Amino acid sequence: MSESQASTIMVTGGSGLVGSAIRDFVEANPKDTETWVFLSSKDGDLRDRKATEAIFDKYKPTHVIHLAAKVGGLFANMAQKVEFYRENVLINDNIMELCRIHKVRIHKVQKL
C-alpha cells in the first residue's frame, strides 16, 4: 500500500492505557490518508465470532493494532486463571482469523 492510499487502522482495546496513548498521538499528528477506529468493549464482544465479524464488516480495517484482552487485576486473575486464559484465546483467535479473511496487512516492528 502506498502512502497516498487511504488506510483504516482499527485499534482493539482502544480505551485502555496503550490504546488511549495511541489515540492521543494520532490526534496530535493527524494524516489525511488515515482513518482511526478505537474500539472498546461497548463496540462488541470480541469473544463472539459473529460480533467480531460485524465489527470487521462495519469498519473494513486495512490495519489492526490488537490490544484487547480480558483483564481483572491480580486477584481476579488468580481466582479465574482458566476463564481469563480461555476468553483471551477466543479474542485473539477471532481477531487473527478475521485479519486473515479480510487480508489485513501485517507489519513487522523494526524498532521501538
Side-chain angles (χ1 to χ4, degrees):
M1 178 177 291
S2 71
E3 286 292 316
S4 63
Q5 290 181 304
S7 297
T8 300
I9 303 102
M10 185 171 76
V11 181
T12 68
S15 62
L17 179 69
V18 177
S20 295
I22 292 171
R23 181 192 301 258
D24 291 344
F25 178 84
V26 168
E27 288 175 354
N29 302 281
K31 292 186 179 178
D32 292 338
T33 58
E34 295 177 349
T35 300
W36 287 77
V37 178
F38 292 87
L39 300 178
S40 74
S41 57
K42 295 175 186 167
D43 293 295
D45 185 350
L46 297 178
R47 298 170 299 179
D48 180 272
R49 176 62 179 262
K50 296 278 186 212
T52 309
E53 287 172 351
I55 290 168
F56 271 75
D57 289 341
K58 179 178 180 179
Y59 295 111
K60 300 184 182 354
T62 56
H63 301 76
V64 172
I65 300 174
H66 178 43
L67 305 172
K70 177 178 172 81
V71 296
L74 179 62
F75 294 110
N77 281 308
M78 288 171 54
Q80 301 172 24
K81 294 178 192 128
V82 174
E83 292 85 353
F84 274 69
Y85 174 78
R86 289 186 53 127
E87 289 185 29
N88 283 312
V89 167
L90 286 171
I91 292 169
N92 293 335
D93 185 58
N94 286 334
I95 293 295
M96 297 304 286
E97 179 62 3
L98 286 163
C99 283
R100 183 188 69 79
I101 290 168
H102 288 263
K103 297 181 176 25
V104 173
R105 301 243 354 220
I106 296 173
H107 295 276
K108 184 177 176 183
V109 175
Q110 300 297 325
K111 293 181 183 179
L112 293 179

